[in-house]
Amino acid sequence: ETGVTQSPTHLIKTRGQQVTLRCSSQSGHNTVSWYQQALGQGPQFIFQYYREEENGRGNFPPRFSGLQFPNYSSELNVNALELDDSALYLCASSPNKQGSPRTDTQYFGPGTRLTVL
Amino acid sequence: LAKTTQPISMDSYEGQEVNITCSHNNIATNDYITWYQQFPSQGPRFIIQGYKTKVTNEVASLFIPADRKSSTLSLPRVSLSDTAVYYCLVGDSGNTGFQKLVFGTGTRLLVSP
C-alpha cells in the first residue's frame, strides 16, 4: 500500500459528458502527477502539480484540466469525453523538495478505470 | 522530445538473473532514471532509481552508462512473483523548466518454474 487513494474505482460515462476524478496523496507529499494508461500500453503523462501550481504538462488537450488543493489532494477533470478517453487514470504523489529532480520517486494509487460509451 | 525503447517481452526461469534495458535519448540531464513494476489492474510500483553508474537496493540493481542514453535494470534470482510489466521513466529534456515525464514502452517479463 502506497497511501495514495483514488476515487471512484470505476466509472462509466457517455460521449460528451464531463468527469472528475479524485486523488488523495500520501501524507507529506506536495506533488501530484496524473497519467492515462490505455489497455495494453504504458502510462502517458498528463500533468503534474507542485504546491497547487501546474508545473508540467504532457500532450493532452485543454479539455484535460486539474486542480491541487492546499492539503495536496488533487482532481483531474475531463470535459467533452471521447471514446478514446477510456483508460485507467493513475495518480502518483511524491515528496519533492524545492529544486529536486522531476522524476523523484512517485507513489501510485490503484487508479480509476474510466469507460466511455 | 525524449524517446524510450524497451524489449516488448522477456522469458525467464525461477532463480535466473534478468536484465532489462531501456534506451532513452534527449532526456533531462538533471533527472533520475527510475524503474517501476506493474501488475495487472494496479498502479506502478517503484523499484529503483539513479543518475549514473550503478545503484543497488534490496531488490534490484540499476546500471547507467556515462552518456545516460540507456539504463539496465537487473533482477537477481527472479521468482514467479516477479512476473509483471517493467517500465523505465525519464524526464524530457525540455529547453526551459519542467516539461514532461516519459514512461518507457514497457517490458512484459514472464517467469516460469
Side-chain angles (χ1 to χ4, degrees):
Chain A
E1 295 296 327
T2 63
V4 178
T5 60
Q6 292 186 243
S7 63
T9 305
H10 296 87
L11 199 54
I12 299 176
K13 291 285 190 178
T14 56
R15 275 187 305 173
Q17 286 190 310
Q18 178 267 342
V19 68
T20 297
L21 310 181
R22 295 178 174 81
C23 171
S24 291
S25 57
Q26 190 178 118
S27 177
H29 288 187
N30 54 23
T31 299
V32 172
S33 303
W34 284 92
Y35 298 85
Q36 179 195 67
Q37 186 172 29
L39 201 59
Q41 298 184 23
Q44 299 294 312
F45 176 68
I46 302 175
F47 41 56
Q48 184 181 87
Y49 278 84
Y50 170 70
R51 293 189 173 185
E52 303 179 59
E53 298 281 337
E54 183 182 297
N55 70 346
R57 190 178 182 92
N59 298 329
F60 281 81
R63 59 189 185 86
F64 285 78
S65 62
L67 281 174
Q68 188 179 30
F69 299 100
N71 66 354
Y72 303 135
S73 66
S74 178
E75 286 183 355
L76 165 65
N77 299 290
V78 187
N79 294 322
L81 284 167
E82 301 176 359
L83 296 180
D84 285 349
D85 295 333
S86 294
L88 180 68
Y89 287 85
L90 297 162
C91 124
S93 73
S94 52
N96 278 352
K97 304 177 182 62
Q98 189 174 7
S100 64
R102 303 170 295 179
T103 50
D104 259 356
T105 305
Q106 297 179 72
Y107 298 84
F108 283 82
T112 293
R113 173 73 61 187
L114 172 65
T115 302
V116 182
L117 302 176
Chain B
L1 295 179
K3 287 188 176 293
T4 62
T5 304
Q6 297 180 233
I8 294 174
S9 63
M10 296 182 70
D11 294 328
S12 183
Y13 293 97
E14 284 188 292
Q16 289 190 330
E17 178 185 75
V18 171
N19 296 309
I20 305 173
T21 296
C22 176
S23 298
H24 32 71
N25 57 12
N26 297 323
I27 68 169
T29 56
N30 64 336
D31 260 6
Y32 290 116
I33 296 165
T34 310
W35 281 79
Y36 290 86
Q37 175 194 55
Q38 188 177 28
F39 298 110
S41 300
Q42 295 186 23
R45 185 172 72 100
F46 171 84
I47 302 174
I48 195 168
Q49 68 181 12
Y51 276 123
K52 56 184 177 181
T53 63
K54 178 183 175 181
V55 179
T56 298
N57 63 19
E58 63 275 10
V59 299
S61 294
L62 179 60
F63 302 90
I64 303 171
D67 65 7
R68 287 173 40 97
K69 291 187 176 180
S70 66
S71 58
T72 299
L73 172 71
S74 180
L75 303 173
R77 299 179 298 282
V78 294
S79 63
L80 296 178
S81 63
D82 293 320
T83 293
V85 180
Y86 293 82
Y87 294 97
C88 61
L89 174 67
V90 298
D92 177 51
S93 62
N95 290 328
T96 58
F98 183 100
Q99 292 295 315
K100 64 178 183 179
L101 307 179
V102 180
F103 267 94
T105 50
T107 298
R108 189 173 300 277
L109 173 65
L110 175 62
V111 180
S112 301

